[in-house]
Structures are given as structure tokens and as C-alpha cells.
């Protein structure tokens, strides 16, 4: 970064990343209080989140088109204003249809407008050799921002006369912050579209067809998708700890902040260090995280649901969070390590991204159907046993795919390591 303005812009943009997605993913910290605050059932809220995930998956493809045709500052500001408006609209408790519409709007704003524009601007703030640090610290600052505001939110919810009122107040705070950040971005970022390089590598039919034929699209996209299954269901551990192991709601909020946000900015750099210094390969490291995640959910399957064992459940959840977030910080580095041809890379990333985040389109609704209403101590469709069983299968499949990836890369690198023939 060349000067003070670039540094301030970088910090401001990183902070927006810690705010804009918080209401869309508030279930990771406050699952039950949120759907009660919005006057929804657990199943209705799960369906809303699945629709949000499905729209978001489609918007990842559309994002490249927007980013290549419109100024990034305008896209970021519009996305922040739109998300802020949706957040504030939710505080009116608009009913199922209104909540669904607000989340669709957040998916369009966040994934089609905001994220690709953010990546363009962040990339333009430094030279090629600085990209790793730029995006690494982007994730760290997002995590610090989310942790600080999430901690305040936990206090709001725990100190409110009713948790539902506290959640609505917190959603309103996020909405106001989005609007304020939009104004700051407009004036601080300046006219960066003049020196922000245009996006390249549009997703033509030929590029997509080549990506479909590339084995790494399915090996890497599939393995990331299976690890993302663990990530997208972490929010459902809160009612488990509360209703099955007897932890209080205030403590649940703090645990949710630590599990979701603290691990975000701590575990990502740790994962990068492990890849660089220990395994020397992202897929090899992911194989270890999949093995650790499988052990955790398998132990949850056999752990008796007794209040005296709350410490064991909490420890398993934190170890699982470490596996999820250390892998989350590095798994896209597998694309570079796979040596995918440059002309195919955009297509592979696009298809793999749509595949990777697909669990958001069905797992929230499915998890809600399995678990039912934990507060009534009923689980008509298998409960947490079904959830942990499914995650165990997902982890084993992920272990298989990532092992196949390691073997494929080993075969492709073997000719380079073979000694040259003697003349």
C-alpha cells in the first residue's frame, strides 16, 4: 500500500466485511432467540436460511459479471445500503414473507455486489507479492470486528428483559452500521475505479465446459462442500448446549461469539502456518482436519446428554470449530497448488464455489427438520443423532475426496521429480 489513504481504505473495507454478513448469519450465535424474535418457527427460519443459501450460491456466479462492468466503490456502497435497509426492515418483524424477501435481498447484495467488488479493490491496494498478506489480514480484521460487535451483541441479548428484544435491537445496530459504513466508503475510498484493474476471465461457455471436464473442479469443490457442511451447522450446537447440557443463555451467546468470530481471526493464520511449515500441502492439511472433524462428531454421537458432561460437549465443539476454521482459512489455496491452467481457473473457481457453498441451500432447513424445537425436548425426525450421523458421513466422504486429490497431485508431480534420461 502506497500511502495513508490506501491504508485507511483497506482498514475501512475490512471492517465492512465484519459487519455486512452478520444478520444473514446471526443463527451461528443466536439461533433460537432470532427465529422467536421474528415470530417464526424453527422450521420456517430454517427454510428462510436455505433459500438465502440457494440464492447466494447463484449470486457467486453473477458477481463476476457485476464486478467486470461497474465501479467497485458504487457496488460496495449499494450493497451496504441495501443490506442496512434489509436489516432495519427485519426489526419491524414483517412476517414470514417479509423475512424471506429481506434475506433474498441480503444474498443479492452480499454475494453479487459486495464480495467480488471487495476482492477487486483489496487486490488493487498492493503489489502481487503482497496479495497473501492483504487477504490474510482482511480475514483477521473481519474477525476482530465481528468479535467486538458480537460481544456487545451478546451483552445486549443477555441483559434484555427478553432475549428476543435484544436480538431485534442487535439487528438494528447492524443495520445502522451498514448505512454509516456506506457513507464512509463513498467519501474515503474515493474514485478508485480509475486505478482498479478491470476484472478478467469472463465465464464463457467454453471456459465452463473446460472446468466441468477438469477433475479438480469436483475433487476440490466437493471436498470444500463437505467441510462447509460442518461450518453451516455450527449454529445448531447452541441449542444443543443449552437444552441438552444445561448451559445458560448468556453463556451460550458468549460461546457463540468465540466459536464463530474468535476462531475466524485466530484459526485462519494457524492453518496457513501449518500448511507452510508442517504439511507443505493444503490437501494434506485438509486431510488432517477432516479426520479431526470426523472424530469430534463421532464422539458427539456416543456422548451421553447429561448436564455433568457440559465441559466435554464444549471441548468437542471447540476442537471441531478449530478443524473447520483452520481449513476455511486455506482451502482455496488448493486451486493454486493444483496447477490448473490459467484459462480454466476462472471456470474452476466459479463452479467449485457454487458447489462448495451448496450446503447453505439445504442444510439449515434439513437440520431444523431433524432437530425440531429443542426447548420442547422433542425430536421427531432423528434429532442430533441424525445431524451428527450425517456429518460423520460427510467427513468420511471428504476424507476420501481429499485423499484422491493428494494422490492425483502426487501422480502429476512425479514426472517432474523423475531423473532426466541419460543421453
Amino acid at each position: 500500500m502506497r500511502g495513508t489513504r490506501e491504508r485507511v481504505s483497506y482498514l475501512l473495507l475490512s471492517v465492512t466485511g465484519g459487519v455486512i454478513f452478520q444478520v444473514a448469519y446471526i443463527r451461528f450465535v443466536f439461533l433460537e432467540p432470532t427465529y422467536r424474535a421474528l415470530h417464526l418457527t424453527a422450521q420456517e427460519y430454517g427454510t428462510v436460511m436455505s433459500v438465502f443459501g440457494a440464492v447466494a450460491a447463484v449470486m457467486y456466479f453473477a458477481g463476476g459479471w457485476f464486478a467486470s462492468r461497474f465501479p467497485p466503490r458504487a457496488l460496495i456502497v449499494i450493497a451496504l445500503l441495501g443490506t442496512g435497509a434489509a436489516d432495519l426492515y427485519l426489526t419491524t418483524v414483517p412476517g414470514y414473507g417479509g423475512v424471506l424477501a429481506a434475506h433474498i435481498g441480503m444474498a443479492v447484495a452480499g454475494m453479487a455486489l459486495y464480495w467480488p467488488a471487495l476482492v477487486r479493490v483489496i487486490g488493487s491496494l498492493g503489489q502481487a507479492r503482497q496479495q497473501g498478506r492483504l487477504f490474510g489480514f482482511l480475514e483477521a480484521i473481519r474477525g476482530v470486528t465481528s468479535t467486538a460487535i458480537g460481544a456487545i451483541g451478546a451483552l445486549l441479548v443477555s441483559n434484555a428483559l427478553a432475549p428476543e428484544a435484544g436480538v431485534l435491537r442487535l439487528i438494528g445496530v447492524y443495520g445502522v452500521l451498514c448505512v454509516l459504513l456506506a457513507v464512509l466508503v463513498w467519501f474515503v475510498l474515493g474514485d478508485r475505479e480509475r486505478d482498479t484493474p478491470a476484472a478478467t476471465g469472463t465465464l464463457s461457455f467454453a471456459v465452463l465446459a473446460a472446468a466441468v471436464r477438469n477433475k479438480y473442479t469436483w475433487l476440490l469443490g466437493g471436498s470444500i462442500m463437505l467441510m462447509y457442511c460442518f461450518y453451516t451447522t455450527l449454529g445448531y450446537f447452541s441449542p444443543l448446549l443449552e437444552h441438552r447440557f444445561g448451559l445458560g443463555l448468556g453463556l451460550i451467546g458468549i460461546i457463540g461469539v468465540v466459536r464463530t468470530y474468535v476462531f475466524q481471526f485466530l484459526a485462519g493464520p494457524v492453518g496457513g502456518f501449518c500448511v507452510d511449515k508442517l504439511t507443505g500441502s493444503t490437501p494434506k492439511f485438509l486431510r488432517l482436519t477432516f479426520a479431526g472433524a470426523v472424530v469430534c462428531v463421532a464422539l458427539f454421537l456416543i456422548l451421553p446428554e447429561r448436564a455433568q458432561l457440559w465441559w466435554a460437549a464444549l471441548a468437542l465443539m471447540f476442537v471441531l470449530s478449530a478443524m473447520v476454521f483452520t481449513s476455511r482459512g486455506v482451502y482455496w489455496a488448493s486451486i493454486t497448488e493444483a496447477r490448473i491452467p490459467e484459462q480454466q481457473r476462472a471456470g474452476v473457481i466459479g463452479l467449485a464455489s457454487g458447489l462448495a457453498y451448496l450446503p447453505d441451500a439445504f442444510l439449515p432447513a434439513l437440520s431444523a427438520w431433524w432437530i425440531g424445537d429443542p426447548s420442547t425436548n422433542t425430536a421427531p425426525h432423528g434429532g442430533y443423532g441424525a445431524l451428527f450421523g450425517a456429518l460423520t458421513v460427510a467427513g468420511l466422504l471428504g476424507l476420501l475426496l481429499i485423499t484422491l486429490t493428494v494422490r492425483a497431485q502426487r501422480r502429476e508431480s512425479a514426472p517432474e521429480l523423475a531423473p532426466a534420461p541419460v543421453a
Side-chain angles (χ1 to χ4, degrees):
M1 287 181 277
R2 296 182 295 272
T4 302
R5 182 160 191 159
E6 283 78 5
R7 293 185 178 91
V8 173
S9 298
Y10 176 78
L11 179 62
L12 177 62
L13 290 169
S14 299
V15 169
T16 66
V19 174
I20 190 170
F21 297 114
Q22 294 311 308
V23 173
Y25 291 100
I26 197 171
R27 73 180 189 275
F28 286 106
V29 181
F30 304 109
L31 175 62
E32 189 174 337
T34 298
Y35 67 71
R36 294 191 184 280
L38 297 174
H39 296 175
L40 302 178
T41 65
Q43 186 64 65
E44 286 174 336
Y45 186 58
T47 302
V48 167
M49 295 314 303
S50 287
V51 172
F52 168 84
V55 175
V58 175
M59 290 301 106
Y60 277 112
F61 293 104
W65 185 88
F66 283 103
S68 64
R69 286 164 175 79
F70 298 99
R73 179 180 65 161
L75 291 176
I76 292 171
V77 169
I78 291 171
L80 285 166
L81 289 174
T83 302
D87 294 348
L88 294 173
Y89 177 60
L90 287 176
T91 63
T92 66
V93 192
Y96 178 76
V99 172
L100 182 62
H103 280 79
I104 291 174
M106 286 190 282
V108 174
M111 283 63 178
L113 306 183
Y114 173 81
W115 186 250
L118 178 72
V119 171
R120 276 189 66 194
V121 177
I122 293 294
S124 73
L125 291 173
Q127 300 174 0
R129 66 177 185 274
Q130 298 174 314
Q131 296 301 301
R133 280 172 285 171
L134 285 172
F135 285 96
F137 280 100
L138 166 66
E139 189 70 13
I141 296 171
R142 288 178 64 199
V144 170
T145 304
S146 301
T147 301
I149 302 176
I152 296 172
L155 291 175
L156 284 175
V157 174
S158 61
N159 291 330
L161 293 177
E164 293 81 3
V167 166
L168 290 178
R169 195 175 306 158
L170 177 59
I171 292 175
V173 168
Y174 280 124
V176 172
L177 284 174
C178 282
V179 174
L180 292 176
L181 287 170
V183 175
L184 288 174
V185 167
W186 182 259
F187 289 105
V188 173
L189 191 60
D191 196 16
R192 283 208 59 83
E193 48 265 28
R194 291 180 180 175
D195 55 0
T196 300
T200 58
T202 56
L203 296 183
S204 65
F205 177 79
V207 170
L208 286 175
V212 169
R213 294 192 299 269
N214 192 307
K215 60 180 176 295
Y216 288 114
T217 299
W218 309 105
L219 288 174
L220 296 177
S223 58
I224 295 171
M225 177 192 71
L226 291 163
M227 181 57 76
Y228 196 78
C229 290
F230 291 89
Y231 172 76
T232 199
T233 54
L234 280 177
Y236 291 92
F237 285 72
S238 293
L240 170 72
L241 294 174
E242 180 182 0
H243 298 295
R244 299 292 189 266
F245 292 95
L247 297 184
L249 183 61
L251 183 57
I252 291 294
I254 295 173
I255 290 170
V257 170
V258 173
R259 178 190 62 214
T260 305
Y261 303 139
V262 174
F263 275 95
Q264 180 183 15
F265 72 82
L266 289 180
V270 170
F273 175 83
C274 290
V275 169
D276 290 342
K277 302 297 183 181
L278 298 179
T279 65
S281 163
T282 299
K284 288 181 181 178
F285 176 70
L286 292 177
R287 187 162 55 181
L288 296 176
T289 60
F290 266 116
V294 168
V295 170
C296 288
V297 292
L299 288 175
F300 263 118
L301 272 174
I302 62 175
L303 183 69
E305 294 179 354
R306 298 173 185 168
Q308 302 94 316
L309 295 175
W310 65 268
W311 57 271
L314 189 59
L316 283 174
M317 186 199 69
F318 280 149
V319 172
L320 178 62
S321 297
M323 298 298 104
V324 169
F325 281 98
T326 52
S327 63
R328 179 178 162 86
V330 300
Y331 49 43
W332 286 111
S334 301
I335 299 289
T336 302
E337 291 183 22
R339 302 178 185 177
I340 297 167
E342 185 65 34
Q343 64 271 23
Q344 294 184 24
R345 191 166 297 177
V348 170
I349 291 175
L351 286 180
S353 296
L355 183 62
Y357 301 117
L358 194 59
D360 266 344
F362 64 89
L363 261 185
L366 186 57
S367 297
W369 185 76
W370 280 331
I371 295 168
D373 188 348
S375 63
T376 64
N377 204 32
T378 58
H381 303 113
Y384 281 98
L387 174 60
F388 294 140
L391 289 177
T392 300
V393 173
L396 292 173
L397 288 174
L399 200 56
L400 173 63
L401 285 183
I402 209 68
T403 299
L404 292 175
T405 303
V406 170
R407 291 180 179 177
Q409 291 183 344
R410 186 182 299 147
R411 285 195 301 270
E412 291 176 357
S413 63
E416 299 179 6
L417 300 176
V422 178

